Amino acid sequence: IAFVAAARISPLQLQYSAGKGFLEKHTDSFNNVRASVYDLFAKVTYKMNGHHKVYGEAFYSMDNFGYGNTNGTSYDRMEWSNFIGNLHWDWEISERNALDVSVSYNSYGSNQNQEKVMEGVYNRLGVESHIEEAVAHAQYTSRWGKGWLFHLGARGTKSRFAPGSSKVYGEDGGSST
């Protein structure tokens, strides 16, 4: 069994916090800046014997940015996220024949929100979009003589796309699409 994991965290928020006094003194329009960017990755591989190998991978990333104006009447936030997961099985049936089977899932989302006080009334607008895809794949390979390969496979894909649906939130927290 082999396992690998990695994480990356951006220091943007720490850098902003360190320079906040300087920025607030020299800028008149931005306040309350928030920033976070991180990625996580993991992979595990298991070789059952000389003929079977199973491995899985996962990746997740999130980017989140936000800022408000100095008089506190608006706040804007943008967010992106992505998740990818794969599971794969390799089977060496014989020296000339092999079977590869895999399934994967990918999800991407984005979200933008704006909170704003206009003419004394609190308003909040949110726009979200999502893309999801699941794939199953199988392929049989046979080696025939010198340089000849025979491939037989199947692939199925299911996708969902939800583009930019929006919501307007009222003072009571309720929404209308």
Side-chain angles (χ1 to χ4, degrees), residues 122 124 168-176:
Y122 172 80
R124 185 171 140 209
V168 176
Y169 300 86
E171 289 185 64
D172 62 354
S175 68
S176 61

Side-chain angles (χ1 to χ4, degrees), residues 16-56:
Y16 169 72
S17 296
K20 184 176 180 179
F22 175 80
L23 288 173
E24 288 178 354
K25 188 189 310 183
H26 294 11
T27 62
D28 60 353
S29 57
F30 293 113
N31 190 16
N32 198 18
V33 173
R34 301 270 184 226
S36 61
V37 178
Y38 64 89
D39 301 321
L40 304 170
F41 174 78
K43 180 176 182 175
V44 64
T45 301
Y46 177 59
K47 292 182 181 180
M48 292 183 238
N49 56 38
H51 300 285
H52 296 275
K53 181 171 100 172
V54 177
Y55 56 94

Side-chain angles (χ1 to χ4, degrees), residues 8-111:
R8 178 184 68 97
I9 299 172
S10 172
L12 282 174
Q13 186 63 44
L14 294 172
Q15 291 168 336
Y16 169 72
S17 296
K20 184 176 180 179
F22 175 80
L23 288 173
E24 288 178 354
K25 188 189 310 183
H26 294 11
T27 62
D28 60 353
S29 57
F30 293 113
N31 190 16
N32 198 18
V33 173
R34 301 270 184 226
S36 61
V37 178
Y38 64 89
D39 301 321
L40 304 170
F41 174 78
K43 180 176 182 175
V44 64
T45 301
Y46 177 59
K47 292 182 181 180
M48 292 183 238
N49 56 38
H51 300 285
H52 296 275
K53 181 171 100 172
V54 177
Y55 56 94
E57 303 163 321
F59 172 78
Y60 179 74
S61 102
M62 170 68 79
D63 299 350
N64 190 345
F65 301 96
Y67 59 90
N69 64 5
T70 54
N71 64 9
T73 60
S74 74
Y75 192 77
D76 292 88
R77 184 173 61 87
M78 299 165 282
E79 177 179 292
W80 301 270
S81 64
N82 193 25
F83 172 79
I84 301 169
N86 298 306
L87 186 59
H88 196 96
W89 171 45
D90 291 334
W91 177 22
E92 188 179 315
I93 300 167
S94 69
E95 193 174 294
R96 294 180 173 226
N97 300 297
L99 179 65
D100 297 320
V101 178
S102 65
V103 292
S104 65
Y105 175 75
N106 183 8
S107 173
Y108 170 80
S110 72
N111 184 349

Side-chain angles (χ1 to χ4, degrees), residues 111-169:
N111 184 349
Q112 297 178 359
N113 284 293
Q114 182 179 58
E115 298 178 33
K116 191 165 193 72
V117 176
M118 294 188 302
E119 298 180 5
V121 177
Y122 172 80
N123 295 277
R124 185 171 140 209
L125 172 66
V127 179
E128 296 181 23
S129 62
H130 296 278
I131 300 171
E132 292 179 298
E133 181 181 64
V135 177
H137 175 260
Q139 179 173 298
Y140 169 78
T141 302
S142 183
R143 292 169 188 80
W144 296 351
K146 290 186 176 184
W148 288 92
L149 289 175
F150 172 73
H151 294 285
L152 177 64
R155 177 185 177 107
T157 302
K158 173 68 175 160
S159 300
R160 184 178 76 89
F161 177 50
S165 60
S166 63
K167 292 181 180 179
V168 176
Y169 300 86

